[in-house]
Amino acid sequence: MSSKIAFITSYPPRECGIATYSHDLIEALRTCAQVPFEPLVCALEPQGRRYFYDTEVKYTLCADSLEDYPDMAMEINGNRDIRGVFIQHEFGLFGGEYGDHLLLLLYHLSKPVIITFHTVLPAPGYPLLKTVRAISEAVDKIIVMTKHAADLLVADYQIRPEKIAVIPHGIHKVPKEMDKQRLRRRYGLPVSGRILATFGLLSRGKSIETALQALPSVIDRFPDTLYLIIGETHPEIVKREGEAYRNLLNYLVSELGLDGHVRFIDRYLPTRELLEYLALSDMYLFTSKDPNQAVSGTFAYALSCGCPVVSTPIPHAREVLTEDLGILVGFEQPGQFAAAITELLAAPQRLQQMRSRALQVMASSTWAEVAKAHYRIFCELNMLPAAEAVTAVPSAREKSRSRETTRQSRIGAAL
């Protein structure tokens, strides 16, 4: 009989970074698990949205419905095959102030719980501190993707260090046969020109306008430069304001005289195609307005394809982006972006060295390695049977009752 772990997360076809992350992690776990392993996904959905899922999605949870949280906990508790729960956390995924509806689920769960915090905010006010501490007390293990995030949990939230594990964002292993010139021909791009790229679901927080404002001086020096902006507008942004942000970017392209130097690829690309676009690019531009953005999957994927990066200094970039991988510049500083891009384009040998170094550095963060790290934690918590020999009595039912009582008291104390 296969071992089941309930994954509570957004999930494809919902278009968001955590949905993609969860799908990639589950696929990697299927390969690395040393026991029969069956993921059972509970997909988080915003109010009024329904999606058509693949077979691994067995449950859905409306994030804005208070009733859904205890009901889902009871459903999971009642399934004797589910050995544990793995939650992907981002504040906007769950209802309530700072996503505190999640506590209703945790309060009623009687099985081991792991949570991945995709965002850890510094210097929390009391409501945020209270919510994050209550969630942290209720779970058995916390995963973050950078040492910076782990340090924040210890220093700002008083979480015990031994409860935290750092596992980097996974990346896809890029096939060696990806030839830059061949890929450019495939996608109708100039073979000999200089290509810059940005990808992700577009929103104002991406600050793509900063890169556009940097381009005129880059083009003065390197007239064959082309900037690819890859990705559709975030679906939640489209619901609120339509394509106002993309229209602004198109206006800037025209206003700055960048026609012919900017190409929008207005689609949510399949992973393989996305990796090919990154592999054919000379440089990746990461712009953001949020200094507290803990981690970026787009940043990690770019490095995995050997793209040197010019980036704003989010914690993930400060931790990973050494001088042999790229250049850090200030937030919303087009002049600094232009200077950094020009500096690298003027040094093709340095660019090639960065490309080789990026492929070397990111090899330890492939999805296969990331999945193995998660698998070890599953076994430590007896969520997979590989660790059963380490444990004996009490019975599973007794342990569940004890865990539920302890969890409820910890949540109560934290609140």
Side-chain angles (χ1 to χ4, degrees):
M1 182 176 64
S2 62
S3 303
K4 295 181 180 178
I5 294 177
F7 291 75
I8 299 179
T9 178
S10 59
Y11 208 70
R14 183 173 177 179
E15 294 174 350
C16 82
I18 291 178
T20 303
Y21 175 92
S22 298
H23 179 268
D24 290 341
L25 177 57
I26 285 173
E27 289 304 303
L29 282 165
R30 288 187 202 271
T31 302
C32 88
Q34 298 168 20
V35 295
F37 165 71
E38 183 180 343
L40 188 158
V41 176
C42 170
L44 295 165
E45 295 184 335
Q47 186 78 44
R49 293 294 300 274
R50 297 301 303 270
Y51 300 90
F52 296 98
Y53 299 101
D54 288 336
T55 55
E56 63 259 36
V57 176
K58 305 300 183 185
Y59 307 118
T60 59
L61 190 159
C62 177
D64 299 301
S65 171
L66 285 169
E67 295 81 7
D68 274 19
Y69 289 88
D71 289 349
M72 184 53 57
M74 295 301 103
E75 187 83 28
I76 291 170
N77 291 342
N79 189 331
R80 297 180 62 184
D81 294 333
I82 295 176
R83 301 178 63 98
V85 179
F86 189 18
I87 300 170
Q88 300 301 315
H89 179 275
E90 180 66 74
F91 295 106
L93 282 181
F94 299 94
E97 185 178 22
Y98 296 115
D100 59 6
H101 285 10
L102 175 60
L103 290 169
L104 287 169
L105 177 83
L106 294 172
Y107 186 84
H108 293 282
L109 277 175
S110 61
K111 305 203 177 191
V113 179
I114 302 169
I115 194 165
T116 295
F117 283 133
H118 287 256
T119 296
V120 180
L121 297 173
Y126 179 70
L128 174 59
L129 175 66
K130 179 180 70 172
T131 298
V132 172
R133 278 194 54 78
I135 291 171
S136 300
E137 286 297 321
V139 302
D140 299 274
K141 196 75 172 180
I142 300 165
I143 295 173
V144 291
M145 298 183 202
T146 64
K147 184 178 181 298
H148 175 81
D151 291 343
L152 280 179
L153 285 175
V154 174
D156 289 14
Y157 295 87
Q158 295 82 54
I159 308 302
R160 300 188 309 279
E162 61 272 17
K163 198 168 191 176
I164 304 166
V166 179
I167 303 177
H169 193 295
I171 55 141
H172 295 275
K173 189 173 182 179
V174 179
K176 292 181 180 179
E177 70 271 14
M178 283 193 177
D179 176 78
K180 182 182 292 189
Q181 279 67 40
R182 182 174 57 81
L183 290 174
R184 289 184 177 189
R185 291 189 188 96
R186 177 185 300 174
Y187 291 109
L189 298 169
V191 172
S192 60
R194 294 164 174 85
I195 296 182
L196 317 175
T198 292
F199 86 91
L201 294 169
L202 297 193
S203 67
R204 295 181 189 276
K206 297 286 187 183
S207 197
I208 305 295
E209 61 271 23
T210 302
L212 291 176
Q213 290 161 356
L215 274 188
S217 62
V218 174
I219 291 166
D220 285 345
R221 177 79 182 275
F222 301 102
D224 61 354
T225 299
L226 176 65
Y227 180 36
L228 305 178
I229 301 174
I230 305 167
E232 64 185 14
T233 305
H234 196 294
E236 296 303 312
I237 301 297
V238 173
K239 281 171 55 180
R240 292 199 299 268
E241 60 179 56
E243 291 289 359
Y245 182 60
R246 186 179 294 275
N247 293 339
L248 169 65
L249 297 181
N250 275 301
Y251 169 79
L252 277 175
V253 168
S254 178
E255 187 75 8
L256 294 168
L258 298 174
D259 297 292
H261 294 282
V262 176
R263 184 176 301 185
F264 289 90
I265 301 169
D266 184 12
R267 292 186 292 118
Y268 191 84
L269 299 185
T271 299
R272 173 74 189 208
E273 189 174 347
L274 172 60
L275 295 177
E276 290 180 342
Y277 268 107
L278 292 173
L280 64 79
S281 300
D282 295 299
M283 194 183 309
Y284 187 76
L285 308 184
F286 180 82
T287 54
S288 173
K289 290 184 178 180
D290 183 7
N292 297 322
Q293 182 177 346
V295 70
S296 167
T298 70
F299 178 94
Y301 279 23
L303 284 175
S304 76
C305 292
C307 271
V309 177
V310 176
S311 173
T312 45
I314 65 169
H316 189 190
R318 292 202 309 270
E319 193 164 309
V320 173
L321 200 65
T322 53
E323 62 182 13
D324 56 352
L325 296 175
I327 298 177
L328 291 173
V329 297
F331 290 96
E332 300 182 79
Q333 295 294 325
Q336 292 183 24
F337 263 96
I341 295 166
T342 302
E343 177 185 335
L344 292 181
L345 289 180
Q349 186 175 357
R350 183 182 174 193
L351 269 180
Q352 183 55 45
Q353 290 170 346
M354 286 182 166
R355 190 176 194 89
S356 299
R357 179 61 178 158
L359 293 171
Q360 179 185 1
V361 167
M362 298 304 288
S364 62
S365 299
T366 61
W367 278 115
E369 296 302 315
V370 166
K372 289 175 188 175
H374 283 84
Y375 179 81
R376 287 192 289 270
I377 293 175
F378 294 160
C379 292
E380 288 170 12
L381 296 177
N382 292 336
M383 291 168 65
L384 289 178
E388 279 184 338
V390 180
T391 61
V393 292
S395 71
R397 180 174 294 181
E398 289 169 339
K399 285 190 290 184
S400 292
R401 288 173 180 168
S402 174
R403 183 179 291 110
E404 185 174 2
T405 301
T406 302
R407 184 170 283 145
Q408 290 174 355
S409 63
R410 285 178 177 173
I411 291 174
L415 294 176

